[in-house]
Amino acid sequence: MVMRDNTEIYAAGGCMRRAVVILSIFLLVLSSIPSAWAEEAGAKDPAAPHPDFEYVKLDPITLPVIPARGLTQQVSLVVQLEVDWGKKDDIAPFEPRLIDAYLQDLYGALGAGHGLMKDNFIDIDTIKQRLTSVTSKVLGPDHKVHAVLLQALQQRPM
């Protein structure tokens, strides 16, 4: 009777080992499927047309608004430039000059009340027009920027 019990234990252990091996193979196969899908999704068709534009994201800009009565608020904005495809690297050397010009223009304009609406809210259209004008002056006619995009604009009263 003891042998019979041991035989049953060995038989149960053999089934358990087979189940573990089969489960391991199943998990191995299953884990390789997502990587194959990722490789397939990441592959780009070289014949596919590229987009017309690409975007240059500038560092965030933060400046105080200081009218005649003193500091009233702090404004932070994130600007992106829409340029022709393949021209993104041409703009990179100008980024420090662009940010400096934006700071100078907006500091003076917002301090004088230009670009502010009732209750000191920022007039986004006016700010975008100013940024577009400054961008054209800094880059000159050789570097075409199709649009100046405001990705984020935040006002914090002081």
Side-chain angles (χ1 to χ4, degrees):
M1 215 177 228
V2 172
M3 284 299 256
R4 185 169 185 212
D5 290 336
N6 285 341
T7 306
E8 289 176 8
I9 292 172
Y10 288 127
C15 286
M16 187 63 114
R17 276 184 281 214
R18 275 188 242 131
V20 169
V21 169
I22 291 171
L23 182 62
S24 298
I25 291 172
F26 176 73
L27 290 174
L28 182 65
V29 170
L30 191 62
S31 68
S32 67
I33 291 173
S35 65
W37 286 340
E39 288 173 9
E40 191 175 301
K44 293 184 180 179
D45 182 13
H50 59 75
D52 293 335
F53 305 112
E54 59 184 332
Y55 300 90
V56 178
K57 185 175 182 179
L58 302 177
D59 291 335
I61 300 169
T62 301
L63 63 145
V65 177
I66 307 174
R69 63 184 184 274
L71 179 65
T72 59
Q73 62 181 308
Q74 181 175 329
V75 175
S76 300
L77 38 103
V78 177
V79 178
Q80 277 192 344
L81 305 176
E82 183 181 76
V83 298
D84 286 330
W85 181 261
K87 301 294 184 181
K88 184 177 182 177
D89 293 336
D90 295 347
I91 303 298
F94 292 96
E95 288 182 28
R97 290 184 58 207
L98 282 168
I99 291 173
D100 178 65
Y102 293 160
L103 284 168
Q104 287 183 36
D105 184 75
L106 293 177
Y107 183 80
L110 293 174
H114 305 295
L116 294 175
M117 298 186 309
K118 184 180 177 191
D119 296 327
N120 285 334
F121 289 112
I122 298 289
D123 183 1
I124 293 175
D125 291 334
T126 302
I127 297 302
K128 283 184 70 168
Q129 288 172 359
R130 294 191 77 87
L131 293 174
T132 301
S133 174
V134 169
T135 302
S136 297
K137 289 177 187 174
V138 169
L139 297 180
D142 296 337
H143 301 286
K144 176 81 169 135
V145 173
H146 293 278
V148 176
L149 308 171
L150 284 176
Q151 296 301 301
L153 186 126
Q154 178 183 7
Q155 293 179 260
R156 187 173 65 158
M158 302 302 264

PDB file of all heavy atoms in Angstrom, residues 51-76:
ATOM      1  N   PRO A  51       4.752  64.765 -43.099  1.00  0.00           N
ATOM      2  CA  PRO A  51       3.852  65.908 -42.900  1.00  0.00           C
ATOM      3  C   PRO A  51       4.461  67.177 -43.500  1.00  0.00           C
ATOM      4  O   PRO A  51       5.672  67.253 -43.740  1.00  0.00           O
ATOM      5  CB  PRO A  51       3.745  66.027 -41.383  1.00  0.00           C
ATOM      6  CG  PRO A  51       4.567  64.954 -40.798  1.00  0.00           C
ATOM      7  CD  PRO A  51       5.235  64.202 -41.870  1.00  0.00           C
ATOM      8  N   ASP A  52       3.622  68.169 -43.715  1.00  0.00           N
ATOM      9  CA  ASP A  52       4.099  69.432 -44.287  1.00  0.00           C
ATOM     10  C   ASP A  52       4.923  70.233 -43.294  1.00  0.00           C
ATOM     11  O   ASP A  52       5.815  70.973 -43.686  1.00  0.00           O
ATOM     12  CB  ASP A  52       2.917  70.291 -44.749  1.00  0.00           C
ATOM     13  CG  ASP A  52       2.184  69.662 -45.928  1.00  0.00           C
ATOM     14  OD1 ASP A  52       2.811  68.873 -46.660  1.00  0.00           O
ATOM     15  OD2 ASP A  52       0.998  69.962 -46.110  1.00  0.00           O
ATOM     16  N   PHE A  53       4.596  70.105 -42.004  1.00  0.00           N
ATOM     17  CA  PHE A  53       5.238  70.928 -40.981  1.00  0.00           C
ATOM     18  C   PHE A  53       5.819  70.071 -39.875  1.00  0.00           C
ATOM     19  O   PHE A  53       5.427  68.935 -39.678  1.00  0.00           O
ATOM     20  CB  PHE A  53       4.227  71.899 -40.351  1.00  0.00           C
ATOM     21  CG  PHE A  53       3.511  72.755 -41.346  1.00  0.00           C
ATOM     22  CD1 PHE A  53       2.157  72.595 -41.575  1.00  0.00           C
ATOM     23  CD2 PHE A  53       4.185  73.737 -42.060  1.00  0.00           C
ATOM     24  CE1 PHE A  53       1.487  73.387 -42.485  1.00  0.00           C
ATOM     25  CE2 PHE A  53       3.524  74.527 -42.975  1.00  0.00           C
ATOM     26  CZ  PHE A  53       2.176  74.351 -43.192  1.00  0.00           C
ATOM     27  N   GLU A  54       6.750  70.674 -39.130  1.00  0.00           N
ATOM     28  CA  GLU A  54       7.203  70.116 -37.871  1.00  0.00           C
ATOM     29  C   GLU A  54       7.273  71.262 -36.873  1.00  0.00           C
ATOM     30  O   GLU A  54       7.172  72.432 -37.252  1.00  0.00           O
ATOM     31  CB  GLU A  54       8.525  69.357 -37.999  1.00  0.00           C
ATOM     32  CG  GLU A  54       9.688  70.125 -38.507  1.00  0.00           C
ATOM     33  CD  GLU A  54      10.915  69.235 -38.680  1.00  0.00           C
ATOM     34  OE1 GLU A  54      11.064  68.223 -37.973  1.00  0.00           O
ATOM     35  OE2 GLU A  54      11.744  69.564 -39.525  1.00  0.00           O
ATOM     36  N   TYR A  55       7.432  70.935 -35.605  1.00  0.00           N
ATOM     37  CA  TYR A  55       7.261  71.935 -34.555  1.00  0.00           C
ATOM     38  C   TYR A  55       8.516  72.043 -33.688  1.00  0.00           C
ATOM     39  O   TYR A  55       9.121  71.047 -33.327  1.00  0.00           O
ATOM     40  CB  TYR A  55       6.044  71.598 -33.698  1.00  0.00           C
ATOM     41  CG  TYR A  55       4.796  71.582 -34.546  1.00  0.00           C
ATOM     42  CD1 TYR A  55       4.360  70.419 -35.170  1.00  0.00           C
ATOM     43  CD2 TYR A  55       4.094  72.751 -34.782  1.00  0.00           C
ATOM     44  CE1 TYR A  55       3.250  70.420 -35.989  1.00  0.00           C
ATOM     45  CE2 TYR A  55       2.980  72.765 -35.593  1.00  0.00           C
ATOM     46  CZ  TYR A  55       2.558  71.593 -36.195  1.00  0.00           C
ATOM     47  OH  TYR A  55       1.461  71.604 -37.016  1.00  0.00           O
ATOM     48  N   VAL A  56       8.868  73.294 -33.383  1.00  0.00           N
ATOM     49  CA  VAL A  56       9.997  73.597 -32.517  1.00  0.00           C
ATOM     50  C   VAL A  56       9.413  74.073 -31.192  1.00  0.00           C
ATOM     51  O   VAL A  56       8.767  75.121 -31.143  1.00  0.00           O
ATOM     52  CB  VAL A  56      10.891  74.701 -33.123  1.00  0.00           C
ATOM     53  CG1 VAL A  56      12.034  75.031 -32.184  1.00  0.00           C
ATOM     54  CG2 VAL A  56      11.387  74.296 -34.495  1.00  0.00           C
ATOM     55  N   LYS A  57       9.626  73.294 -30.143  1.00  0.00           N
ATOM     56  CA  LYS A  57       9.114  73.675 -28.825  1.00  0.00           C
ATOM     57  C   LYS A  57      10.196  74.455 -28.092  1.00  0.00           C
ATOM     58  O   LYS A  57      11.299  73.962 -27.889  1.00  0.00           O
ATOM     59  CB  LYS A  57       8.715  72.442 -28.019  1.00  0.00           C
ATOM     60  CG  LYS A  57       8.080  72.784 -26.695  1.00  0.00           C
ATOM     61  CD  LYS A  57       7.592  71.547 -25.988  1.00  0.00           C
ATOM     62  CE  LYS A  57       6.905  71.947 -24.685  1.00  0.00           C
ATOM     63  NZ  LYS A  57       6.390  70.779 -23.975  1.00  0.00           N
ATOM     64  N   LEU A  58       9.867  75.664 -27.706  1.00  0.00           N
ATOM     65  CA  LEU A  58      10.803  76.508 -26.977  1.00  0.00           C
ATOM     66  C   LEU A  58      10.656  76.283 -25.480  1.00  0.00           C
ATOM     67  O   LEU A  58       9.633  75.788 -25.015  1.00  0.00           O
ATOM     68  CB  LEU A  58      10.545  77.979 -27.313  1.00  0.00           C
ATOM     69  CG  LEU A  58      10.656  78.351 -28.798  1.00  0.00           C
ATOM     70  CD1 LEU A  58      10.310  79.812 -29.001  1.00  0.00           C
ATOM     71  CD2 LEU A  58      12.033  78.055 -29.346  1.00  0.00           C
ATOM     72  N   ASP A  59      11.684  76.658 -24.748  1.00  0.00           N
ATOM     73  CA  ASP A  59      11.627  76.555 -23.293  1.00  0.00           C
ATOM     74  C   ASP A  59      10.512  77.456 -22.753  1.00  0.00           C
ATOM     75  O   ASP A  59      10.207  78.500 -23.349  1.00  0.00           O
ATOM     76  CB  ASP A  59      12.952  76.981 -22.664  1.00  0.00           C
ATOM     77  CG  ASP A  59      14.065  75.992 -22.952  1.00  0.00           C
ATOM     78  OD1 ASP A  59      13.768  74.807 -23.188  1.00  0.00           O
ATOM     79  OD2 ASP A  59      15.237  76.412 -22.951  1.00  0.00           O
ATOM     80  N   PRO A  60       9.906  77.094 -21.627  1.00  0.00           N
ATOM     81  CA  PRO A  60       8.861  77.940 -21.034  1.00  0.00           C
ATOM     82  C   PRO A  60       9.397  79.335 -20.709  1.00  0.00           C
ATOM     83  O   PRO A  60      10.559  79.499 -20.339  1.00  0.00           O
ATOM     84  CB  PRO A  60       8.469  77.200 -19.761  1.00  0.00           C
ATOM     85  CG  PRO A  60       8.906  75.793 -19.982  1.00  0.00           C
ATOM     86  CD  PRO A  60      10.107  75.858 -20.865  1.00  0.00           C
ATOM     87  N   ILE A  61       8.533  80.314 -20.858  1.00  0.00           N
ATOM     88  CA  ILE A  61       8.879  81.711 -20.594  1.00  0.00           C
ATOM     89  C   ILE A  61       8.036  82.189 -19.421  1.00  0.00           C
ATOM     90  O   ILE A  61       6.817  82.025 -19.418  1.00  0.00           O
ATOM     91  CB  ILE A  61       8.592  82.587 -21.834  1.00  0.00           C
ATOM     92  CG1 ILE A  61       9.416  82.086 -23.020  1.00  0.00           C
ATOM     93  CG2 ILE A  61       8.854  84.045 -21.537  1.00  0.00           C
ATOM     94  CD1 ILE A  61       9.005  82.703 -24.340  1.00  0.00           C
ATOM     95  N   THR A  62       8.681  82.784 -18.426  1.00  0.00           N
ATOM     96  CA  THR A  62       7.977  83.339 -17.274  1.00  0.00           C
ATOM     97  C   THR A  62       8.422  84.776 -17.098  1.00  0.00           C
ATOM     98  O   THR A  62       9.622  85.059 -17.111  1.00  0.00           O
ATOM     99  CB  THR A  62       8.298  82.535 -15.997  1.00  0.00           C
ATOM    100  OG1 THR A  62       7.907  81.168 -16.216  1.00  0.00           O
ATOM    101  CG2 THR A  62       7.553  83.076 -14.801  1.00  0.00           C
ATOM    102  N   LEU A  63       7.459  85.681 -16.972  1.00  0.00           N
ATOM    103  CA  LEU A  63       7.808  87.081 -16.778  1.00  0.00           C
ATOM    104  C   LEU A  63       6.802  87.769 -15.868  1.00  0.00           C
ATOM    105  O   LEU A  63       5.631  87.385 -15.824  1.00  0.00           O
ATOM    106  CB  LEU A  63       7.903  87.819 -18.118  1.00  0.00           C
ATOM    107  CG  LEU A  63       6.637  87.924 -18.953  1.00  0.00           C
ATOM    108  CD1 LEU A  63       6.639  89.256 -19.669  1.00  0.00           C
ATOM    109  CD2 LEU A  63       6.624  86.818 -19.974  1.00  0.00           C
ATOM    110  N   PRO A  64       7.253  88.780 -15.147  1.00  0.00           N
ATOM    111  CA  PRO A  64       6.331  89.523 -14.284  1.00  0.00           C
ATOM    112  C   PRO A  64       5.605  90.587 -15.103  1.00  0.00           C
ATOM    113  O   PRO A  64       6.115  91.082 -16.108  1.00  0.00           O
ATOM    114  CB  PRO A  64       7.265  90.167 -13.267  1.00  0.00           C
ATOM    115  CG  PRO A  64       8.537  90.374 -14.033  1.00  0.00           C
ATOM    116  CD  PRO A  64       8.638  89.205 -14.973  1.00  0.00           C
ATOM    117  N   VAL A  65       4.418  90.933 -14.660  1.00  0.00           N
ATOM    118  CA  VAL A  65       3.685  92.059 -15.238  1.00  0.00           C
ATOM    119  C   VAL A  65       3.764  93.188 -14.214  1.00  0.00           C
ATOM    120  O   VAL A  65       3.216  93.083 -13.117  1.00  0.00           O
ATOM    121  CB  VAL A  65       2.219  91.681 -15.542  1.00  0.00           C
ATOM    122  CG1 VAL A  65       1.460  92.890 -16.074  1.00  0.00           C
ATOM    123  CG2 VAL A  65       2.172  90.523 -16.533  1.00  0.00           C
ATOM    124  N   ILE A  66       4.492  94.258 -14.597  1.00  0.00           N
ATOM    125  CA  ILE A  66       4.733  95.365 -13.666  1.00  0.00           C
ATOM    126  C   ILE A  66       4.244  96.666 -14.304  1.00  0.00           C
ATOM    127  O   ILE A  66       5.000  97.372 -14.972  1.00  0.00           O
ATOM    128  CB  ILE A  66       6.233  95.477 -13.310  1.00  0.00           C
ATOM    129  CG1 ILE A  66       6.750  94.128 -12.815  1.00  0.00           C
ATOM    130  CG2 ILE A  66       6.446  96.553 -12.256  1.00  0.00           C
ATOM    131  CD1 ILE A  66       8.239  94.082 -12.575  1.00  0.00           C
ATOM    132  N   PRO A  67       2.960  96.991 -14.116  1.00  0.00           N
ATOM    133  CA  PRO A  67       2.477  98.293 -14.587  1.00  0.00           C
ATOM    134  C   PRO A  67       2.922  99.396 -13.619  1.00  0.00           C
ATOM    135  O   PRO A  67       3.685  99.135 -12.686  1.00  0.00           O
ATOM    136  CB  PRO A  67       0.962  98.122 -14.596  1.00  0.00           C
ATOM    137  CG  PRO A  67       0.675  97.047 -13.625  1.00  0.00           C
ATOM    138  CD  PRO A  67       1.899  96.172 -13.565  1.00  0.00           C
ATOM    139  N   ALA A  68       2.416 100.596 -13.817  1.00  0.00           N
ATOM    140  CA  ALA A  68       2.817 101.755 -12.998  1.00  0.00           C
ATOM    141  C   ALA A  68       2.542 101.540 -11.512  1.00  0.00           C
ATOM    142  O   ALA A  68       3.274 102.039 -10.668  1.00  0.00           O
ATOM    143  CB  ALA A  68       2.096 103.011 -13.486  1.00  0.00           C
ATOM    144  N   ARG A  69       1.514 100.765 -11.181  1.00  0.00           N
ATOM    145  CA  ARG A  69       1.165 100.569  -9.773  1.00  0.00           C
ATOM    146  C   ARG A  69       1.949  99.434  -9.108  1.00  0.00           C
ATOM    147  O   ARG A  69       1.695  99.089  -7.963  1.00  0.00           O
ATOM    148  CB  ARG A  69      -0.336 100.357  -9.622  1.00  0.00           C
ATOM    149  CG  ARG A  69      -0.872  99.127 -10.287  1.00  0.00           C
ATOM    150  CD  ARG A  69      -2.405  99.059 -10.161  1.00  0.00           C
ATOM    151  NE  ARG A  69      -2.926  97.843 -10.710  1.00  0.00           N
ATOM    152  CZ  ARG A  69      -3.230  97.649 -11.974  1.00  0.00           C
ATOM    153  NH1 ARG A  69      -3.039  98.615 -12.856  1.00  0.00           N
ATOM    154  NH2 ARG A  69      -3.715  96.499 -12.390  1.00  0.00           N
ATOM    155  N   GLY A  70       2.883  98.832  -9.814  1.00  0.00           N
ATOM    156  CA  GLY A  70       3.722  97.785  -9.237  1.00  0.00           C
ATOM    157  C   GLY A  70       3.341  96.400  -9.736  1.00  0.00           C
ATOM    158  O   GLY A  70       2.447  96.234 -10.564  1.00  0.00           O
ATOM    159  N   LEU A  71       4.042  95.401  -9.244  1.00  0.00           N
ATOM    160  CA  LEU A  71       3.849  94.014  -9.656  1.00  0.00           C
ATOM    161  C   LEU A  71       2.405  93.575  -9.424  1.00  0.00           C
ATOM    162  O   LEU A  71       1.882  93.675  -8.314  1.00  0.00           O
ATOM    163  CB  LEU A  71       4.805  93.107  -8.866  1.00  0.00           C
ATOM    164  CG  LEU A  71       4.728  91.617  -9.153  1.00  0.00           C
ATOM    165  CD1 LEU A  71       5.156  91.310 -10.579  1.00  0.00           C
ATOM    166  CD2 LEU A  71       5.595  90.854  -8.168  1.00  0.00           C
ATOM    167  N   THR A  72       1.757  93.097 -10.487  1.00  0.00           N
ATOM    168  CA  THR A  72       0.364  92.660 -10.358  1.00  0.00           C
ATOM    169  C   THR A  72       0.194  91.166 -10.603  1.00  0.00           C
ATOM    170  O   THR A  72      -0.702  90.550 -10.036  1.00  0.00           O
ATOM    171  CB  THR A  72      -0.557  93.416 -11.339  1.00  0.00           C
ATOM    172  OG1 THR A  72      -0.089  93.184 -12.670  1.00  0.00           O
ATOM    173  CG2 THR A  72      -0.592  94.896 -11.033  1.00  0.00           C
ATOM    174  N   GLN A  73       1.028  90.598 -11.466  1.00  0.00           N
ATOM    175  CA  GLN A  73       0.882  89.175 -11.771  1.00  0.00           C
ATOM    176  C   GLN A  73       2.147  88.633 -12.423  1.00  0.00           C
ATOM    177  O   GLN A  73       3.026  89.393 -12.835  1.00  0.00           O
ATOM    178  CB  GLN A  73      -0.330  88.931 -12.672  1.00  0.00           C
ATOM    179  CG  GLN A  73      -0.252  89.598 -14.037  1.00  0.00           C
ATOM    180  CD  GLN A  73      -1.487  89.332 -14.874  1.00  0.00           C
ATOM    181  OE1 GLN A  73      -1.890  88.175 -15.038  1.00  0.00           O
ATOM    182  NE2 GLN A  73      -2.098  90.383 -15.393  1.00  0.00           N
ATOM    183  N   GLN A  74       2.182  87.323 -12.508  1.00  0.00           N
ATOM    184  CA  GLN A  74       3.262  86.638 -13.200  1.00  0.00           C
ATOM    185  C   GLN A  74       2.636  85.824 -14.319  1.00  0.00           C
ATOM    186  O   GLN A  74       1.630  85.138 -14.102  1.00  0.00           O
ATOM    187  CB  GLN A  74       4.013  85.730 -12.233  1.00  0.00           C
ATOM    188  CG  GLN A  74       5.172  84.994 -12.853  1.00  0.00           C
ATOM    189  CD  GLN A  74       5.942  84.207 -11.813  1.00  0.00           C
ATOM    190  OE1 GLN A  74       6.021  84.598 -10.662  1.00  0.00           O
ATOM    191  NE2 GLN A  74       6.506  83.096 -12.220  1.00  0.00           N
ATOM    192  N   VAL A  75       3.215  85.886 -15.502  1.00  0.00           N
ATOM    193  CA  VAL A  75       2.686  85.180 -16.667  1.00  0.00           C
ATOM    194  C   VAL A  75       3.713  84.152 -17.122  1.00  0.00           C
ATOM    195  O   VAL A  75       4.897  84.457 -17.240  1.00  0.00           O
ATOM    196  CB  VAL A  75       2.373  86.171 -17.811  1.00  0.00           C
ATOM    197  CG1 VAL A  75       1.934  85.443 -19.063  1.00  0.00           C
ATOM    198  CG2 VAL A  75       1.325  87.180 -17.375  1.00  0.00           C
ATOM    199  N   SER A  76       3.239  82.930 -17.370  1.00  0.00           N
ATOM    200  CA  SER A  76       4.088  81.870 -17.908  1.00  0.00           C
ATOM    201  C   SER A  76       3.458  81.369 -19.198  1.00  0.00           C
ATOM    202  O   SER A  76       2.244  81.204 -19.277  1.00  0.00           O
ATOM    203  CB  SER A  76       4.205  80.706 -16.928  1.00  0.00           C
ATOM    204  OG  SER A  76       4.770  81.138 -15.720  1.00  0.00           O
TER     205      SER A  76
END
